[in-house]
Amino acid sequence: MSLLSQIAVGVCFLIIIIVLFFDENDYLTYSVLLILIAAGISAIELEEARHIETYINAIDWEVVFFLITMFTIVEILNEARVFHEIAKWIVFRYKNNIRKMFYVICIISTLSASILEDLSVAIIFIPIIVLTCKDLNINPTPFLLGMTICINLAATLTPFGSAQNLMISNYFGLSFSFFVLKFGPFFLGSTIITLILLDYFVLSKEIKRKWKNSCDEHKTDLSIMENEELKLAEDLRTDSKIIIINLIALIIFIVLLLTIHQIHVAGLIGMLIFVFINPRIGKAKKKRPELSHFFRKVDYKLIYFFICLFILVNLMELNGTILIMESIIQNAIFDNIFILSILILIVTSLFSGFMDNAPVTIIFMPIIKILVETAGFELVPLIIAFVLGINLGGNFLPQGSAADMMTLELSEKYCVQDLTYKKLTIVGGSFAFLHIILGVIYLAIIIYL
């Protein structure tokens, strides 16, 4: 394929990334438009680009179906208020010991984010943290910073801890045990170090400050906050029986993920279990399972966006762009697996810090596959570097993580004066740099020991 066509398709990919920076734009609209342009350009010279089968086969349908089931399960758990009740129990159980409450909140939210989407965890925990700190007249900023920084570590632990991990594990055929064995030591060590440093440098200093309400001068904002507090208290009155049943179902779902290798099958079974144990009252005033209700609540934009990325990167594979990128990377590191791993770790983490990590993941998966199958590099160090880079880079800048942006948005909504974009960037970026250093050390241990 000609260089001009390769550049044109590459420009389409770059435009998609740029569109992500502008929240007011519907990125899905532009993604579909750019896919049509890239496909039309490719079809001029490539026979494969003229057939619908090429585009259908480019999509990882197992990942798509599993994402749908996971998003549906998250909606069911949110409506059942399961994790809201857990969060409420934590803060009321440990509110008399601020330091212990800090550690428990960070640990539980981190472990929750290894199962649920980190954005959902942030939405659940942040209002409860802020309103509890308001009642105790303490600064909620260290709790919010601790939770936000730690939940980005959570995705390194399991293959379903993030959509990116899910795509990587399915693309390379990685199991749950692979993640636990290869990433467990890093997750445990980095989490302990992070919590200790957060305690010393953030909690110990920030907790001395009293609650600062940025809405004090605006009565309307105060009334909104009070209404939110009343609404939250009302929402948290959840039947303990429902909580227990859903927690048992969650354990069963995790077992299914461990035992059934086809993740979409495990997802479908788990989704149906949650639907049947959370029936809804219909028009006839009878409780019935209603999957369509939860399907309507799922935000499918991200799933459609992944489909667009799968297709666009596949076109870049067909026209040889991916092979060129692989050659550049291979020639830059002189066949040294340690230097190559560090390069992948740094590049993917930086890209993930400045942009959404979905396109970074999808474009680097075939590059790593070529490095392993064609250049003969060992898979494990490259996968470790890849997963760490994709997930840890989100702390460099708030826009690199949906959970970070949600923390800022809800902090503004709940009048947390101390937590600003600048502060989250400085603290989050510092810990992201630390995590990358820990990642380099961990790679050295994996490769040389």
Side-chain angles (χ1 to χ4, degrees):
M1 192 169 178
S2 67
L3 178 61
L4 185 61
S5 298
Q6 291 175 330
I7 292 174
V9 175
V11 168
C12 289
F13 183 82
L14 290 175
I15 293 175
I16 287 180
I17 294 174
I18 293 171
V19 170
L20 292 173
F21 284 92
F22 301 96
D23 294 334
E24 67 273 11
N25 295 324
D26 181 10
Y27 62 83
L28 190 57
T29 300
Y30 292 95
S31 299
V32 174
L33 173 62
L34 291 164
I35 285 296
L36 288 174
I37 294 172
I41 294 171
S42 301
I44 296 173
E45 299 183 32
L46 293 174
E47 174 68 25
E48 300 97 318
R50 302 168 193 169
H51 302 289
I52 187 64
E53 293 83 3
T54 299
Y55 302 98
I56 294 175
N57 294 332
I59 301 167
D60 193 335
W61 291 106
E62 285 190 36
V63 170
V64 170
F65 279 110
F66 183 75
L67 285 174
I68 293 173
T69 60
M70 277 298 294
F71 289 168
T72 305
I73 290 172
V74 168
E75 290 298 334
I76 295 172
L77 291 173
N78 280 339
E79 188 166 298
R81 319 301 293 182
V82 174
F83 286 94
H84 295 74
E85 192 68 22
I86 293 173
K88 186 188 74 171
W89 178 83
I90 292 170
V91 294
F92 282 102
R93 172 69 174 81
Y94 296 102
K95 66 180 180 180
N96 294 324
N97 189 326
I98 302 302
R99 178 162 274 100
K100 187 177 288 187
M101 185 173 79
F102 172 80
Y103 277 92
V104 173
I105 285 174
C106 290
I107 292 171
I108 297 299
S109 60
T110 301
L111 293 176
S112 300
S114 68
I115 302 172
L116 298 178
E117 185 186 11
D118 58 356
L119 182 61
S120 300
V121 175
I123 292 172
I124 290 168
F125 275 82
I126 289 173
I128 298 170
I129 291 172
V130 174
L131 295 173
T132 301
C133 289
K134 175 178 175 290
D135 290 338
L136 298 175
N137 195 29
I138 59 175
N139 186 9
T141 299
F143 297 91
L144 298 177
L145 286 172
M147 181 207 67
T148 304
I149 291 168
C150 286
I151 61 177
N152 279 316
L153 286 170
T156 63
L157 185 60
T158 66
F160 38 85
S162 69
Q164 291 72 40
N165 278 14
L166 181 60
M167 289 187 287
I168 294 170
S169 61
N170 202 54
Y171 189 85
F172 292 100
L174 307 177
S175 64
F176 178 85
S177 59
F178 176 89
F179 269 80
V180 172
L181 293 175
K182 300 301 181 184
F183 294 98
F186 175 84
F187 170 78
L188 183 62
S190 59
T191 301
I192 292 173
I193 293 171
T194 300
L195 286 173
I196 293 173
L197 292 177
L198 280 168
D199 185 357
Y200 184 78
F201 289 104
V202 179
L203 181 65
S204 298
K205 296 178 180 179
E206 298 282 348
I207 203 63
K208 296 175 183 178
R209 301 181 183 179
K210 297 297 182 182
W211 164 268
K212 288 186 178 180
N213 189 344
S214 61
C215 300
D216 281 339
E217 298 178 357
H218 306 284
K219 296 299 182 182
T220 53
D221 290 339
L222 269 175
S223 62
I224 290 173
M225 187 173 181
E226 289 168 359
N227 290 335
E228 288 286 342
E229 188 171 357
L230 291 172
K231 182 178 182 296
L232 180 64
E234 184 69 26
D235 287 342
L236 288 173
R237 292 176 188 152
T238 308
D239 188 350
S240 59
K241 183 179 178 182
I242 295 175
I243 302 296
I244 294 171
I245 292 174
N246 277 280
L247 287 176
I248 293 172
L250 187 60
I251 294 172
I252 294 173
F253 178 51
I254 294 172
V255 172
L256 289 173
L257 291 171
L258 297 178
T259 54
I260 300 177
H261 297 297
Q262 292 79 15
I263 55 173
H264 61 292
V265 176
L268 287 169
I269 295 173
M271 179 182 67
L272 288 175
I273 291 174
F274 281 101
V275 169
F276 277 97
I277 66 173
N278 292 278
R280 291 184 48 77
I281 300 176
K283 294 181 180 179
K285 304 299 180 182
K286 293 183 179 180
K287 287 188 175 182
R288 295 177 180 176
E290 192 176 335
L291 180 58
S292 58
H293 166 76
F294 299 107
F295 272 171
R296 286 192 293 268
K297 297 184 69 175
V298 172
D299 185 356
Y300 294 95
K301 281 204 306 181
L302 180 61
I303 296 172
Y304 291 136
F305 180 59
F306 281 155
I307 290 174
C308 291
L309 289 177
F310 280 131
I311 293 173
L312 189 53
V313 172
N314 184 63
L315 292 174
M316 295 172 70
E317 280 191 81
L318 291 175
N319 67 26
T321 304
I322 298 296
L323 191 60
I324 293 173
M325 296 174 65
E326 180 273 333
S327 299
I328 294 172
I329 292 174
Q330 186 178 351
N331 292 332
I333 47 81
F334 306 106
D335 295 333
N336 186 305
I337 185 66
F338 182 57
I339 297 177
L340 175 59
S341 299
I342 293 176
L343 179 64
I344 290 174
L345 172 64
I346 294 174
V347 171
T348 54
S349 62
L350 288 176
F351 282 174
S352 296
F354 284 92
M355 67 183 75
D356 190 275
N357 49 17
V360 182
T361 303
I362 294 177
I363 200 169
F364 265 86
M365 288 193 302
I367 291 175
I368 291 179
K369 187 175 182 179
I370 293 172
L371 287 169
V372 173
E373 295 181 352
T374 305
F377 286 102
E378 187 181 349
L379 176 65
V380 173
L382 300 187
I383 287 295
I384 291 175
F386 187 28
V387 171
L388 292 182
I390 288 294
N391 291 294
L392 299 181
N395 275 328
F396 272 118
L397 289 172
Q399 61 260 36
S401 168
D404 285 24
M405 295 304 293
M406 182 56 64
T407 299
L408 290 174
E409 182 179 331
L410 291 180
S411 295
E412 182 179 357
K413 177 180 179 180
Y414 288 103
C415 310
V416 181
Q417 185 176 11
D418 290 337
L419 189 55
T420 61
Y421 180 93
K422 180 180 179 181
K423 188 164 197 169
L424 183 56
T425 300
I426 293 173
V427 177
S430 300
F431 276 95
F433 183 71
L434 169 67
H435 295 155
I436 297 304
I437 293 175
L438 293 175
V440 171
I441 296 172
Y442 187 65
L443 281 170
I445 294 172
I446 292 292
I447 293 171
Y448 293 114
L449 297 181

